[in-house]
Amino acid sequence: MAVVPLSPTASGGLRGAAAMTMLGCSTGVSAAFAGYPLLGGQALRYLLAAGLLLPLALRAAAGAPRPTAREWGRLALLSATGLVGFNVLLVQALRHSGPAGVGSVVGAAPLLMAVLGPLLAGGRPGRRAVVAAGVVAAGAATAQGFGAGDAVGTVLALGTLGCEVGFSLLAVPLLPRLGPVGVSAWVTVLAVPMFAGAAVLLDGRAALRVPSGSELAALLYLAVPMTCVAFLLWYRALELLGAERAGLFAGLVPITAALSGAALGEGVPRAGELLGAVLVGAGVCLGLRTRRPGRARAPRTGRARTAGGPVAP
């Protein structure tokens, strides 16, 4: 029986949904690692991930160009914001506001990506794409519960939101040349000295300690599925869908977090979480029906597969 290939929209949608589902399901894992020193723990996480991604990137680089000086600068900015800034600001925001308050702010990421993605590409935001992103953002906020926090927490949450959006938008111009494997590997490698340097300066000898059994398991999950696999899936989704449509799947994070908690026996989902799931699903379906603003692009072949490495179809 012949196998019908997936369309770019379907393929990108599956990758985006898988990446954000993994992120949402990691809530309990992150909680198990919360007691480990933040900066040193993140340095270990990205060191382990870099050890897996770098060989893939070097192998892909045999048929693909290495980053230029300008691209190294963009990669460094992406790593400093999307990896280092996001993780640090998120932890600090949670200390001032509850998860619901922070999540409601960060849940606006799909709307920002729907507006800024086309603008940065020289186009105009599509009306239906913006409406779809607004529905997804409303669904994410509904699932979170519209929590409140103090002024400092709100500012930190807005910074977290900016870093979350930067993780995707800063990568878009890099993907055509470097591919998902290259971008994932280089930003991960660059994050290691950033976290390690900050850990030494701020925490000194307290930056590292021997992890407990549960902390080690959490560290391995964060390094392998949550960094290596999810990064590759997400950046390939960005290639296939564009930032404005891929960003819709960020609304899945609070939904999958709630569902995974229910599966682990933490109670049935609340009415708000169920309503949020319906809104997110409706927004994603609406957004995937839209045509990407700007010039139409045929699915990439040949060069994109080389740059994308083993995960590219």
Side-chain angles (χ1 to χ4, degrees):
M1 183 175 62
V3 178
V4 179
L6 292 175
S7 67
T9 296
S11 181
L14 288 174
R15 285 171 164 81
M20 294 299 103
T21 296
M22 292 172 65
L23 178 58
C25 292
S26 70
T27 305
V29 177
S30 298
F33 198 58
Y36 197 87
L38 171 63
L39 298 173
Q42 293 297 323
L44 285 177
R45 168 191 175 180
Y46 288 109
L47 179 63
L48 291 173
L52 297 174
L53 288 171
L54 190 56
L56 296 178
L58 293 177
R59 189 174 76 173
R66 296 289 182 91
T68 64
R70 184 174 183 177
E71 288 170 337
W72 276 120
R74 183 178 288 270
L75 287 166
L77 181 60
L78 196 166
S79 185
T81 56
L83 278 63
V84 179
F86 176 83
N87 283 287
V88 172
L89 287 174
L90 177 61
V91 171
Q92 297 301 321
L94 289 172
R95 291 175 178 172
H96 289 269
S97 302
V102 176
S104 297
V105 174
V106 178
L111 189 56
L112 279 183
M113 290 175 66
V115 174
L116 295 178
L119 290 176
L120 293 176
R124 291 187 304 173
R127 182 181 301 175
R128 185 180 295 180
V130 173
V131 170
V135 173
V136 170
T142 300
Q144 293 281 355
F146 296 96
D150 60 24
V152 175
T154 300
V155 171
L156 291 169
L158 288 171
T160 306
L161 170 62
C163 291
E164 169 74 4
V165 173
F167 177 75
S168 297
L169 296 185
L170 288 171
V172 170
L174 299 168
L175 288 169
R177 269 179 37 91
L178 303 181
V181 174
V183 174
S184 299
W186 300 127
V187 297
T188 301
V189 168
L190 290 170
V192 176
M194 294 182 188
F195 273 117
V200 171
L201 288 175
L202 298 177
D203 298 331
R205 293 183 179 180
L208 293 174
R209 61 171 172 80
V210 177
S212 65
S214 60
E215 288 173 339
L216 179 59
L219 173 62
L220 292 175
Y221 179 87
L222 293 173
V224 182
M226 263 309 303
T227 302
C228 296
V229 179
F231 279 25
L232 293 174
L233 289 171
W234 182 247
Y235 283 142
R236 182 57 174 153
L238 279 175
E239 275 194 316
L240 293 168
L241 298 176
E244 65 277 17
R245 294 201 295 169
L248 296 171
F249 291 95
L252 291 176
V253 174
I255 308 302
T256 54
L259 294 178
S260 65
L264 293 174
E266 297 178 5
V268 297
R270 296 178 291 104
E273 292 168 340
L274 296 176
L275 176 59
V278 172
L279 290 173
V280 169
V284 169
C285 291
L286 175 63
L288 291 183
R289 291 178 51 206
T290 65
R291 293 183 59 185
R292 293 179 58 180
R295 66 181 185 280
R297 289 197 308 177
R300 274 179 279 182
T301 58
R303 167 68 192 92
R305 287 195 178 98
T306 301
V311 298

